[in-house]
Amino acid sequence: AQSVTQLDSQVPVFEEAPVELRCNYSSSVSVYLFWYVQYPNQGLQLLLKYLSGSTLVESINGFEAEFNKSQTSFHLRKPSVHISDTAEYFCAVSESGGYQKVTFGTGTKLQVIP
Amino acid sequence: ETGVTQTPRHLVMGMTNKKSLKCEQHLGHNAMYWYKQSAKKPLELMFVYNFKEQTENNSVPSRFSPECPNSSHLFLHLHTLQPEDSALYLCASSQDGGNYEQYFGPGTRLTVT
């Protein structure tokens, strides 16, 4: 069975500082990996995803994540955060093979401090 | 309307009430999901429907009853709930296959008194 671990429940960071949100997964087969973001009073929105190919994937708002198979990680990074990045971020994994079951991590709350 | 919509956005109900949550997707997807989001717990998958057929029931108590009349609509019927059922209930949809991202609605904040 697949699982996702997000060790940091909260990450405070000053505006314009870099940030890394950690995600590790466990699976016995090939996986697809996702990062979702949830702003207050909203549902989750896809931020970026890794399916295959280049291990570095980017979002339109400056986030990037790198798939590291040997370390079973998919950490999310941004070189300079903005106040508007304050939200909860969820890492998710699904096993390749055509089934839609996605397992989510417990989430990391990113608090950007002015 | 675009995307995934959910009604109502907020619901307060007593333990003896019967209510229903509604979800509608306007994306042409063929898979729909119900999730429960509680504080400090992982997002819990409750039910999955694929082409209107239930393909996943994640050991959900029978006081939650899903209904999927077509690929665009999904309901969650609630009866004799417990206070610990208070949570944010999220609906999502996607194309078939684990490589497709899920699109979420804004959720229904449920409080059971």
Side-chain angles (χ1 to χ4, degrees):
Chain A
Q2 61 202 33
S3 66
V4 179
T5 302
Q6 292 181 252
L7 288 173
D8 304 309
S9 60
Q10 292 190 63
V11 174
V13 63
F14 286 104
E15 194 174 15
E16 298 184 5
V19 69
E20 178 180 83
L21 306 183
R22 296 181 293 168
C23 172
N24 289 90
Y25 70 92
S26 174
S27 174
S28 57
V29 300
S30 298
V31 296
Y32 304 123
L33 294 158
F34 308 83
W35 275 101
Y36 286 82
V37 59
Q38 185 177 30
Y39 298 103
N41 301 313
Q42 295 186 28
L44 281 69
Q45 305 171 36
L46 181 72
L47 189 60
L48 46 77
K49 63 181 177 181
Y50 169 79
L51 302 181
S52 64
S54 173
T55 57
L56 184 66
V57 291
E58 298 176 353
S59 72
I60 58 173
N61 57 353
F63 283 94
E64 65 178 30
E66 186 161 19
F67 170 55
N68 188 319
K69 188 175 181 179
S70 63
Q71 297 186 8
T72 60
S73 68
F74 191 55
H75 301 330
L76 182 69
R77 303 184 187 94
K78 189 170 185 179
S80 176
V81 296
H82 302 132
I83 292 291
S84 58
D85 294 324
T86 295
E88 190 159 16
Y89 293 79
F90 294 87
C91 184
V93 62
S94 69
E95 293 181 342
S96 60
Y99 187 53
Q100 312 96 323
K101 184 172 181 178
V102 178
T103 300
F104 288 84
T106 49
T108 298
K109 290 185 178 178
L110 174 62
Q111 179 68 45
V112 180
I113 305 164
Chain B
E1 286 278 12
T2 58
V4 181
T5 58
Q6 289 187 245
T7 55
R9 293 293 308 275
H10 300 273
L11 178 62
V12 179
M13 60 186 288
M15 289 190 285
T16 58
N17 291 160
K18 289 185 180 181
K19 296 287 184 183
S20 295
L21 310 185
K22 179 183 176 182
C23 175
E24 185 173 0
Q25 59 98 357
H26 308 267
L27 300 167
H29 292 160
N30 46 43
M32 296 188 76
Y33 314 76
W34 279 117
Y35 288 90
K36 176 182 179 183
Q37 186 177 30
S38 305
K40 300 182 181 179
K41 294 177 71 174
L43 203 61
E44 299 174 51
L45 178 65
M46 300 175 72
F47 302 103
V48 180
Y49 277 82
N50 196 5
F51 292 100
K52 301 187 299 180
E53 298 297 321
Q54 189 179 122
T55 55
E56 181 89 14
N57 178 337
N58 211 17
S59 301
V60 181
S62 59
R63 57 186 183 269
F64 294 91
S65 175
E67 179 189 1
C68 188
N70 54 61
S71 293
S72 298
H73 293 86
L74 185 64
F75 295 89
L76 188 63
H77 304 300
L78 316 171
H79 63 97
T80 58
L81 294 190
Q82 304 299 312
E84 60 264 30
D85 296 323
S86 298
L88 182 68
Y89 288 85
L90 292 166
C91 174
S93 70
S94 75
Q95 294 288 14
D96 185 21
N99 56 330
Y100 290 102
E101 63 266 32
Q102 296 183 14
Y103 290 77
F104 285 80
T108 295
R109 174 69 62 186
L110 174 67
T111 303
V112 181
T113 60

